[in-house]
Amino acid sequence: MSQVLDIERYDLDIKSNSRSHHTQLCGEERLIVRRGQPFNIILHLTAGSKDFKPGETGLTLIIETGPLPRKESDTKVTFSITDSTVDTDWSASATYDPSGNTLSLSISSSPDAPIGVYSLTLDQNGKKTSLGQFTLLFNAWCPRDAVYMHSETKRQEYVLAQHGQIYRGIHKRIKGTPWNFGQFEAGILDICLKILDENPKFVSDADKDCSARRNPIYVTRVLSAMINSNDDRGVLVGNWGKIEDGTHPGEWIGSGGILHQWAESGPVCYGQCWVFAAVACTVSRALGIPCRVVTNFGSAHDTDANLVIENLYDEDGKRISGGDSIWNFHVWVDSWMTRPDLGQKFDGWQTSDPTPQETSEGVFCCGPASLKAIKEGELTLKYDVPFIFAEVNADVVDLVLLSTGQFVKFSGSTKSVGCFISTKTVGSDDRRDITHQYKYAEGSKEERQVYEKAQHHNKLQQRGEKPGLHLKIKLADNMMVGSDFEVYAILTNNCMEARTCNFLFFARAVSYKGKQGDSCGVASDKVEVPSGEERRLSLKLEYESYGTAITSDRLIQLSAITIDKETIDFNKAEKTIVLDEPDIKIELLGEANINQSVMTKLTLLNPLPEQLQDCSFTVEGVSLTDSKPITAKYVFISVVPCSRGNFKAKF
């Protein structure tokens, strides 16, 4: 039987752990560590207790987070103490020091674990000992973490720096304003975790929300919604009008006071874009997500999502108020992370905007959107790329409204939106222009090509479609066994240019276990599909061909393939159909009375163009047939189409 250690006390070794996990600025009141990296706990054994002997002492650790810890959600994990730790999952090893009668545990968290406050319990064959709590953060120093940042100087700037610059003004007169992010000040981390716990997704499904906190994409999107208070008990109330109460947005110089006030009394009055962004940066850095504040000068607000800012005037030159506008400047944040949902190409900086402007999925939030997707005009990718693309790259059109009701364009610009996009330089207070990260040079061939692609993608997204070639199979309404019918393969070209493809469409019998049988029909063609159009290839399935091929399962597998040899683009669509069989009609020949027999008539319509032979009807009914089926064999049904076979049964 395994021995049980008698533990006198435990030491979370906060000072040493904090130093190695870059959390020493949070203080030494509690253990705060970053995921995917080992931390140490020292167990002091009672004097006279038995020595720890590997293999003879069964030690298991249990870690839990959230109000409803569950193994299935990875909010509860149980793991044994072994000889060494691994860097891919929760693990632990132990080192015994007989001279000090201590057992040092090295615990490594999963680099994909949900962030939050965890409890730690030691289980010795059912005897459980609490080892306290620790807070787990994202880890920009861990190569396996989604927020890993290779450069140490950038980690120092975008995770650890507590002071920064926020740029405002106009593009010809840019002014930096100092800001105290203060993410390591007392109480701030608790408030940041409270923000996550106040979000509506946590309230509606705490288990799902806590589990999703493993993902910086999810956390960043939640913060984008929670920094403003439009849909929830978020941090800041926006005000762009006359301010007669609360604090004017221009009076704030740091995030700490705002966050403490929110924690004590709810939404704080007031904020504007730079305040929303600065608070979002504080919270992101506190949770371990690398983050920077970004200012866009000449920032478009495209309310009708057409990538064009339309300035409307009457015939006297007076401006007509409309939904679209261009702000002198607008401020948001970029956060650093991988995008496994989009592909490695879109890793890196992701834009999110906590200022409440437009709703996204029904909530006032925006992003995260990959900077690379914004720059390349990939408007169909998550999240909110069209809105942010318009902020930095919309065209401007000036229109006059004539008395006839007609709009006439008299001016415009392709260069006035999105210029001098600025952030603080790493390691200094100098301004860094990062416009090139968001867009190609104004007036360049690449910039116009991207804009045209963005317009194309924007129209596709509004129709709920995606770019590229798309193939689908459309079935006939009536596919009764024995009938002839047509099915169609439809190729849609959502590319910006015409495509020429070899088009194949074939049908094959298949069993319910997936085993393929004989061919039921083939069609092929070479088609040219202009941009935005579709081409169809029909395949007629005749009973004469499929009747002998199908099994009693009546299954036919349809497969369509297109091959564009020029672009090496292959597309495939498959669909398995079940042929309908005729219904059996049952009718009573007389009135049904209790405890009296009644005659019934069963009728079957023959759908086949051939005679049915050696057939039978089988009938069974509860309390009607004495638990035995009634069978009538050798019912003759004529070859004539739509002819019926009948059977009468008495119950």
Side-chain angles (χ1 to χ4, degrees):
M1 183 176 178
S2 300
Q3 67 180 103
V4 175
L5 299 177
D6 191 2
I7 301 171
E8 180 181 284
R9 60 186 175 89
Y10 63 86
D11 180 2
L12 297 179
D13 201 11
I14 294 175
K15 189 172 184 178
S16 176
N17 285 322
S18 297
R19 191 182 309 114
S20 61
H21 284 256
H22 309 279
T23 58
Q24 64 269 36
L25 293 175
C26 294
E28 298 181 5
E29 290 76 26
R30 59 178 177 172
L31 179 58
I32 302 171
V33 295
R34 300 185 187 276
R35 64 184 192 174
Q37 181 178 337
F39 59 94
N40 300 315
I41 293 179
I42 302 171
L43 304 182
H44 294 264
L45 306 182
T46 303
S49 66
K50 295 181 179 180
D51 293 343
F52 170 75
K53 296 180 180 179
E56 296 184 17
T57 307
L59 300 179
T60 300
L61 290 173
I62 304 169
I63 60 98
E64 297 177 311
T65 187
L68 302 167
R70 294 174 66 243
K71 182 184 298 184
E72 296 79 5
S73 303
D74 289 333
T75 51
K76 178 179 181 179
V77 182
T78 302
F79 52 100
S80 300
I81 296 175
T82 58
D83 295 334
S84 61
T85 60
V86 297
D87 58 4
T88 57
D89 206 348
W90 287 95
S91 59
S93 62
T95 303
Y96 178 61
D97 179 8
S99 63
N101 201 26
T102 60
L103 185 68
S104 295
L105 303 181
S106 177
I107 302 171
S108 184
S109 61
S110 166
D112 190 40
I115 63 165
V117 177
Y118 282 80
S119 64
L120 179 62
T121 304
L122 179 67
D123 187 349
Q124 302 185 76
N125 301 318
K127 180 183 178 182
K128 295 182 179 180
T129 305
S130 172
L131 300 182
Q133 293 184 327
F134 63 92
T135 301
L136 191 67
L137 307 178
F138 292 109
N139 192 355
W141 285 262
C142 174
R144 293 181 179 272
D145 197 303
V147 303
Y148 173 66
M149 185 170 260
H150 183 266
S151 167
E152 175 60 25
T153 55
K154 289 183 179 179
R155 292 192 292 250
Q156 292 289 328
E157 177 71 38
Y158 298 129
V159 180
L160 300 183
Q162 297 195 79
H163 300 87
Q165 293 281 325
I166 299 175
Y167 297 96
R168 295 188 288 166
I170 60 175
H171 72 274
K172 291 185 177 180
R173 194 171 187 273
I174 299 174
K175 176 71 174 178
T177 301
W179 191 272
N180 178 28
F181 296 113
Q183 66 267 33
F184 300 120
E185 292 179 2
I188 293 298
L189 178 56
D190 286 331
I191 296 172
C192 295
L193 294 172
K194 177 182 173 66
I195 291 173
L196 296 182
D197 288 346
E198 290 281 338
N199 98 82
K201 294 182 179 180
F202 176 84
V203 175
S204 63
D205 191 338
D207 173 62
K208 185 177 180 181
D209 176 80
C210 287
S211 180
R213 294 180 190 180
R214 71 181 69 241
N215 185 352
I217 302 169
Y218 177 85
V219 172
T220 298
R221 190 155 173 80
V222 167
L223 294 181
S224 174
M226 283 298 296
I227 299 304
N228 70 74
S229 60
N230 282 42
D231 304 292
D232 40 53
R233 290 190 70 260
V235 177
L236 278 161
V237 178
N239 191 337
W240 286 264
K242 185 177 181 181
I243 296 175
E244 298 177 340
D245 60 344
T247 301
H248 191 285
E251 295 180 16
W252 299 112
I253 59 173
S255 303
I258 297 171
L259 290 170
H260 280 291
Q261 186 175 330
W262 173 81
E264 293 169 3
S265 56
V268 178
C269 300
Y270 291 104
Q272 291 182 9
C273 64
W274 69 92
V275 185
F276 286 108
V279 173
C281 184
T282 294
V283 178
S284 297
R285 290 183 182 182
L287 299 177
I289 301 174
C291 190
R292 67 186 184 185
V293 177
V294 175
T295 303
N296 177 39
F297 291 92
S299 189
H301 183 175
D302 180 21
T303 57
D304 55 4
N306 65 352
L307 308 186
V308 178
I309 302 302
E310 295 149 327
N311 297 322
L312 308 180
Y313 299 85
D314 63 20
E315 290 182 311
D316 297 324
K318 184 179 179 181
R319 182 73 181 268
I320 303 173
S321 60
D324 290 348
S325 60
I326 299 177
W327 299 14
N328 285 327
F329 69 91
H330 183 50
V331 187
W332 57 66
V333 292
D334 287 344
S335 303
W336 183 271
M337 65 194 70
T338 60
R339 289 303 297 264
D341 57 329
L342 305 181
Q344 189 174 359
K345 174 183 176 182
F346 299 100
D347 292 350
W349 288 116
Q350 315 289 322
T351 294
S352 63
D353 189 351
T355 300
Q357 297 183 82
E358 302 291 336
T359 59
S360 173
E361 297 179 340
V363 178
F364 277 98
C365 67
C366 183
S370 166
L371 257 67
K372 293 177 182 176
I374 297 168
K375 183 173 182 177
E376 297 299 334
E378 298 288 351
L379 268 60
T380 59
L381 301 182
K382 295 180 179 180
Y383 289 93
D384 307 308
V385 177
F387 186 79
I388 301 170
F389 179 90
E391 287 185 304
V392 301
N393 213 12
D395 283 354
V396 179
V397 175
D398 296 321
L399 302 170
V400 61
L401 176 61
L402 303 179
S403 57
T404 60
Q406 180 184 3
F407 285 101
V408 177
K409 176 183 175 182
F410 67 91
S411 182
S413 172
T414 63
K415 300 179 180 180
S416 57
V417 167
C419 56
F420 297 94
I421 302 176
S422 305
T423 192
K424 177 183 173 298
T425 299
V426 174
S428 81
D429 286 337
D430 295 337
R431 184 185 72 88
R432 183 188 177 201
D433 193 304
I434 57 171
T435 308
H436 64 283
Q437 294 183 12
Y438 279 86
K439 59 196 291 189
Y440 289 98
E442 288 289 2
S444 67
K445 178 181 177 181
E446 294 85 355
E447 188 269 337
R448 281 294 92 187
Q449 287 176 339
V450 166
Y451 184 82
E452 291 171 4
K453 180 173 75 172
Q455 282 281 22
H456 177 69
H457 284 194
N458 195 43
K459 293 175 183 176
L460 292 177
Q461 186 177 48
Q462 291 176 1
R463 297 200 304 261
E465 301 176 8
K466 294 183 178 181
L469 290 174
H470 298 280
L471 188 60
K472 65 180 180 181
I473 295 172
K474 184 177 181 180
L475 305 179
D477 293 331
N478 181 19
M479 297 184 294
M480 177 74 72
V481 62
S483 66
D484 298 341
F485 56 91
E486 281 190 311
V487 290
Y488 300 89
I490 304 172
L491 177 63
T492 303
N493 181 11
N494 283 344
C495 302
M496 295 183 65
E497 63 284 333
R499 291 290 186 90
T500 301
C501 301
N502 291 329
F503 204 163
L504 305 174
F505 193 17
F506 45 91
R508 186 177 295 275
V510 64
S511 73
Y512 82 94
K513 293 190 292 185
K515 183 179 180 181
Q516 291 192 338
D518 295 336
S519 172
C520 299
V522 178
S524 64
D525 196 5
K526 185 173 184 178
V527 296
E528 180 177 349
V529 193
S531 175
E533 296 187 15
E534 67 180 32
R535 292 291 182 267
R536 294 189 173 204
L537 183 61
S538 65
L539 175 60
K540 188 170 184 179
L541 295 177
E542 299 177 330
Y543 178 71
E544 184 178 346
S545 298
Y546 73 74
T548 57
I550 61 173
T551 68
S552 59
D553 302 319
R554 310 183 317 281
L555 298 174
I556 298 177
Q557 186 180 70
L558 304 175
S559 300
I561 296 175
T562 61
I563 305 169
D564 184 347
K565 293 184 178 180
E566 184 176 343
T567 60
I568 319 297
D569 189 3
F570 293 77
N571 288 274
K572 182 180 181 181
E574 282 190 342
K575 187 169 285 187
T576 300
I577 59 176
V578 183
L579 299 179
D580 297 327
E581 57 183 357
D583 294 328
I584 297 175
K585 182 180 179 181
I586 304 176
E587 59 181 316
L588 299 180
L589 301 179
E591 186 177 355
N593 296 303
I594 297 174
N595 297 323
Q596 293 183 16
S597 298
V598 64
M599 186 67 71
T600 61
K601 179 182 178 182
L602 286 71
T603 304
L604 171 69
L605 174 67
N606 176 17
L608 304 183
E610 59 186 86
Q611 184 170 329
L612 297 178
Q613 301 183 41
D614 297 335
C615 301
S616 64
F617 281 107
T618 301
V619 182
E620 185 173 355
V622 176
S623 300
L624 295 176
T625 60
D626 296 326
S627 301
K628 297 178 181 179
I630 298 175
T631 302
K633 297 184 178 180
Y634 309 113
V635 177
F636 172 79
I637 300 180
S638 170
V639 68
V640 179
C642 298
S643 180
R644 290 174 168 81
N646 300 314
F647 165 59
K648 294 182 179 180
K650 187 176 184 181
F651 300 100

